[in-house]
Amino acid sequence: MRFSSWKGEENRGRIVEIITGCSTISIKPPSSSVPKRRSGMLDLVTFIWGKETIEDYMEMALPSLLWTANIPSTQRSIGEYSIYASPGAYSAIHFSDLGRELEGLVKVNWRRLIKGEGETTSNLLNQLSRSLQRGNHIKICAPDEVVGNGSLLNLAQLCEGYSLIVYGFPRITEQGWEILRTRVKAGEILFNKDLVAFAMEHIEQETYPIIKRENEWLVSHNCPTPIVLPDKWMVDIFATNPTINSGFDHCLPYMLMEKGYPWKMIKHSETYFQVERGRHILREDYTSWGGTYPLMTKLFFERIQQVWSKV
């Protein structure tokens, strides 16, 4: 396997040729051929069901979203927060003190799980269509993540001018997750550098290249998470996704880049950082949609380094 020279997304229009055996895959960095669109606001979305996941959301994810420099400081830039929830999740969140605090800050749009528990694709497709009509970006807020204080505020400021924003983050071990739960439940507010320091000690999956230094890691995350500003093409292409929980990370970002959508990768943890519980809610073979796009995504993004810094 060989690569032509590539220095990141700034070198627009160049083709990286990846030779794999007898086949050649042309990876085309973005040309910004799609005009920039102005985003109204940022729509947040969560899919939630199940006792353990509800506990994670109530004890970990939601408290971090309510830290002072996240939703409270970003509320004017948040269009709505759509929560696709089971009946049990709705009751647990809506009637809680944290739920009332959330609904006092932003418009919460409660939605049923379209195909029931265990499936997210139909819910995400619905939200893509909804945010398209509203002209807003979408950020998925997983129920088992902790977002560094200040990350949402920074993220909202980045959305202007980009149809796609991507960032990488680590998953942490079960032991680490429970330690972090204790800290969050005790009322500790964690900034990005605090979460980086914690992740360095408790990272679970190192399925991507990492250069480890004393105070920072240089990370080549090969499947970053997207934030998108939907348009009709995005909605139409995602509507062809037959999987129950795959493709949004592994396929859609590179599809958009190949089409020339303006994009940006967050390259430093001081701008945005989160950690997520290591065990997955759902597992699925993402190659069942997107053909070679998961491979192209991996090979492209592992050429770009992020800095995760604890200082």
Side-chain angles (χ1 to χ4, degrees):
M1 181 180 292
R2 65 178 173 81
F3 293 84
S4 66
S5 176
W6 176 248
K7 298 181 181 179
E9 70 266 34
E10 292 84 3
N11 289 338
R12 301 182 185 277
R14 186 175 297 181
I15 297 178
V16 180
E17 295 291 346
I18 298 171
I19 312 299
T20 56
C22 297
S23 62
T24 301
I25 302 173
S26 295
I27 295 188
K28 301 177 182 178
S31 60
S32 293
S33 60
V34 176
K36 290 186 176 182
R37 297 164 51 215
R38 295 184 63 85
S39 172
M41 292 185 175
L42 182 65
D43 286 341
L44 308 180
V45 59
T46 292
F47 315 118
I48 184 166
W49 63 85
K51 181 177 183 296
E52 188 176 12
T53 305
I54 295 169
E55 288 178 353
D56 280 348
Y57 182 73
M58 295 296 293
E59 296 177 357
M60 305 287 279
L62 184 53
S64 76
L65 290 174
L66 293 175
W67 287 338
T68 54
N70 283 335
I71 285 179
S73 297
T74 316
Q75 60 187 106
R76 292 184 179 179
S77 297
I78 296 175
E80 68 176 17
Y81 189 168
S82 293
I83 304 179
Y84 293 73
S86 65
Y90 167 77
S91 297
I93 301 167
H94 177 65
F95 296 109
S96 69
D97 290 341
L98 286 177
R100 284 189 284 270
E101 182 179 350
L102 176 66
E103 292 180 325
L105 291 170
V106 295
K107 177 185 177 182
V108 177
N109 177 37
W110 291 100
R111 314 284 291 184
R112 65 178 180 85
L113 295 167
I114 294 173
K115 293 186 178 180
E117 299 180 10
E119 193 268 359
T120 63
T121 299
S122 63
N123 304 310
L124 182 52
L125 178 60
N126 181 271
Q127 188 61 44
L128 285 167
S129 299
R130 183 175 178 84
S131 293
L132 165 60
Q133 295 173 354
R134 296 165 55 79
N136 294 346
H137 279 79
I138 294 177
K139 181 203 175 336
I140 296 177
C141 298
D144 54 354
E145 70 183 22
V146 173
V147 179
N149 190 36
S151 283
L152 272 190
L153 181 60
N154 292 337
L155 185 61
Q157 295 170 349
L158 280 177
C159 285
E160 189 66 39
Y162 297 99
S163 296
L164 170 68
I165 300 170
V166 292
Y167 59 89
F169 66 86
R171 298 181 182 275
I172 59 175
T173 63
E174 284 294 292
Q175 181 183 20
W177 184 252
E178 294 309 316
I179 294 171
L180 187 59
R181 188 192 304 272
T182 300
R183 294 175 64 176
V184 174
K185 289 179 70 174
E188 185 174 354
I189 296 176
L190 299 166
F191 290 84
N192 293 354
K193 64 180 182 179
D194 304 318
L195 285 180
V196 171
F198 188 84
M200 286 178 172
E201 296 181 12
H202 298 283
I203 190 169
E204 179 204 55
Q205 298 173 329
E206 295 188 34
T207 56
Y208 36 81
I210 301 176
I211 299 174
K212 297 181 179 180
R213 298 174 178 171
E214 182 178 0
N215 293 317
E216 67 180 21
W217 286 2
L218 305 181
V219 181
S220 299
H221 201 296
N222 53 33
C223 184
T225 295
I227 294 164
V228 300
L229 177 60
D231 65 6
K232 187 178 184 301
W233 185 86
M234 284 188 221
V235 174
D236 289 346
I237 195 67
F238 199 73
T240 69
N241 183 356
T243 71
I244 62 173
N245 185 47
S246 299
F248 189 68
D249 291 1
H250 295 92
C251 300
L252 188 61
Y254 195 81
M255 289 177 177
L256 298 180
M257 292 162 56
E258 190 176 58
K259 291 282 287 184
Y261 284 78
W263 68 285
K264 179 179 182 65
M265 184 165 192
I266 296 176
K267 291 188 176 180
H268 202 290
S269 59
E270 67 181 5
T271 301
Y272 185 93
F273 198 74
Q274 69 178 59
V275 298
E276 190 168 300
R277 188 175 183 176
R279 64 112 183 96
H280 289 258
I281 299 173
L282 297 170
R283 293 181 184 275
E284 188 176 355
D285 177 14
Y286 53 78
T287 59
S288 59
W289 181 65
T292 60
Y293 279 101
L295 174 61
M296 291 190 288
T297 297
K298 175 182 182 297
L299 293 174
F300 179 80
F301 281 109
E302 69 184 10
R303 305 291 291 174
I304 303 175
Q305 285 187 331
Q306 293 176 276
V307 178
W308 294 353
S309 176
K310 65 178 183 179
V311 294

